[in-house]
Amino acid sequence: MKRIALWSLSACLLVPTLAMAQQPLDLQMPAHAKPGQCFARVLVQAGYRTEAVPVVIRDAHESVQVSDPVFKSEIQSIPISDAYKDYVVTPPTFRTEQQKIVVRPAHERLRASPAVIGTSPVTVVIREPRLVWRPGSKGSEVRRIDAATGEVFCLVEEPAKTAVMQREVQITPAQVTREHVPAVVETIERRFLVTAPTVREVYVKAESKDVKIQTLVQPAREIRTKVEARTGTLQRQVEVTPERYEWVPVVCVDTPEGRHSIQAVQSALAARKYYSGPIDGLIGPKTKQALAAFQRANGLPGQGSLTVATARALGL
């Protein structure tokens, strides 16, 4: 069987997980490390043992059973309508005739045309012609000779005084015309009674309905039965060893020979259906996932680191 060699010039330290990186490293290194060995600080899961613990599966209680009530059925005739007298009315019948009615008689309508008035100038005598005495100096050529002669007056005829005014005169006299308005006639329908209405008395019998009536014979009952408690055992896990970190020997991969060994690990994981990536000698995410799955399946520590125990479990 081929073994993976541990190639390295000096001891190396690997911290593969984030949970480990967040915690302070233990300053005490592996006491028996030799040159060329590599170690990784890995989380070792807690160990448990299984023990049986008695438990009560079901408490004691009462079981209750109920029975439905029992009824007896019988048919009863229930009246739903009393007897009474009804009256059947036969309505009257009519015949219809059309009749013309004068709603407004024929008449004459008078229309008045007002007179046409115009204006005409008219000369009006304001003052009639008259004879008046005027001083001679104004009415004649006679002059006063001296103081003894006295005043000279002349009798003068003054013409009439007139004025022109506008007078309203009738051009066309007012007239009245007569217009004949015909009568307004409407046609209405008149109903004449042919047969008078009649009333006939009818006797209506009482009505009843058969109904199924249920009578309670036995009421519902309950039956109580005591049920004993049921016990059993529960498998409980008790912690034997606590969770802890340990230094685990790992394969050094910082040399060409180491990468060749990683290729052998990848091939072994692929043969066991844990790995489906390329055989490239590099521990990438897929290789770490395959290593972690193989370690969980076989109870090996490592969390994806290539430990010596993992390599041996793979037969390398």
Side-chain angles (χ1 to χ4, degrees), residues 210-225:
D210 292 338
V211 180
K212 185 178 181 181
I213 304 297
Q214 292 185 335
T215 306
L216 181 64
V217 177
Q218 179 179 323
R221 297 182 302 168
E222 64 177 33
I223 302 172
R224 294 182 174 270
T225 305

Side-chain angles (χ1 to χ4, degrees), residues 4-316:
I4 295 179
L6 306 181
W7 288 281
S8 180
L9 297 177
S10 60
C12 59
L13 178 64
L14 301 179
V15 185
T17 62
L18 179 60
M20 184 60 218
Q22 293 176 348
Q23 300 179 5
L25 294 176
D26 191 351
L27 296 179
Q28 293 182 358
M29 304 302 292
H32 303 289
K34 297 179 181 180
Q37 287 184 330
C38 294
F39 293 84
R41 194 167 189 242
V42 299
L43 177 65
V44 179
Q45 302 294 333
Y48 295 91
R49 61 180 173 84
T50 303
E51 62 180 17
V53 179
V55 293
V56 178
I57 300 175
R58 184 183 64 194
D59 292 335
H61 61 282
E62 283 187 343
S63 174
V64 179
Q65 295 181 349
V66 296
S67 61
D68 294 331
V70 179
F71 294 91
K72 180 181 71 175
S73 299
E74 60 182 359
I75 304 299
Q76 292 185 8
S77 180
I78 306 298
I80 59 175
S81 177
D82 293 334
Y84 62 94
K85 289 182 179 180
D86 194 7
Y87 295 92
V88 178
V89 179
T90 302
T93 60
F94 296 88
R95 62 180 176 83
T96 303
E97 294 183 359
Q98 291 186 347
Q99 184 177 359
K100 292 185 178 181
I101 298 177
V102 177
V103 296
R104 188 179 64 189
H107 59 280
E108 286 186 346
R109 181 180 291 119
L110 300 179
R111 297 185 182 277
S113 300
V116 178
I117 305 297
T119 57
S120 175
V122 178
T123 301
V124 180
V125 177
I126 298 175
R127 189 183 65 195
E128 296 292 336
R130 63 181 179 172
L131 294 175
V132 294
W133 292 98
R134 299 294 182 194
S137 60
K138 295 181 179 180
S140 66
E141 295 298 328
V142 179
R143 297 286 187 269
R144 183 176 181 182
I145 300 173
D146 50 26
T149 305
E151 289 287 339
V152 177
F153 288 91
C154 298
L155 184 60
V156 180
E157 182 181 2
E158 288 185 354
K161 188 176 181 179
T162 61
V164 178
M165 60 176 295
Q166 297 293 328
R167 186 178 68 176
E168 292 184 353
V169 295
Q170 177 178 290
I171 299 175
T172 304
Q175 296 179 356
V176 176
T177 57
R178 295 177 179 272
E179 180 183 352
H180 178 73
V181 180
V184 178
V185 180
E186 287 188 5
T187 302
I188 63 173
E189 289 186 353
R190 182 177 176 183
R191 300 172 67 195
F192 294 92
L193 180 65
V194 177
T195 58
T198 59
V199 178
R200 181 168 54 90
E201 187 177 83
V202 178
Y203 179 76
V204 181
K205 296 181 180 180
E207 293 184 12
S208 61
K209 181 179 181 181
D210 292 338
V211 180
K212 185 178 181 181
I213 304 297
Q214 292 185 335
T215 306
L216 181 64
V217 177
Q218 179 179 323
R221 297 182 302 168
E222 64 177 33
I223 302 172
R224 294 182 174 270
T225 305
K226 290 186 177 181
V227 180
E228 300 294 335
R230 180 186 297 175
T231 60
T233 57
L234 176 67
Q235 299 297 321
R236 184 177 66 176
Q237 290 186 336
V238 180
E239 184 179 353
V240 179
T241 57
E243 186 180 80
R244 65 191 184 279
Y245 284 92
E246 289 184 357
W247 292 108
V248 178
V250 296
V251 178
C252 293
V253 295
D254 56 353
T255 62
E257 293 80 1
R259 285 193 291 272
H260 180 72
S261 300
I262 296 303
Q263 290 177 347
V265 170
Q266 291 173 335
S267 299
L269 290 171
R272 290 169 173 79
K273 307 298 183 182
Y274 286 99
Y275 181 68
S276 60
I279 309 300
D280 53 7
L282 300 176
I283 299 182
K286 288 188 176 181
T287 304
K288 290 183 179 180
Q289 292 175 3
L291 284 170
F294 178 78
Q295 290 165 345
R296 286 193 300 271
N298 293 274
L300 299 172
Q303 298 176 317
S305 300
L306 182 52
T307 64
V308 174
T310 303
R312 289 174 180 173
L314 289 170
L316 303 175

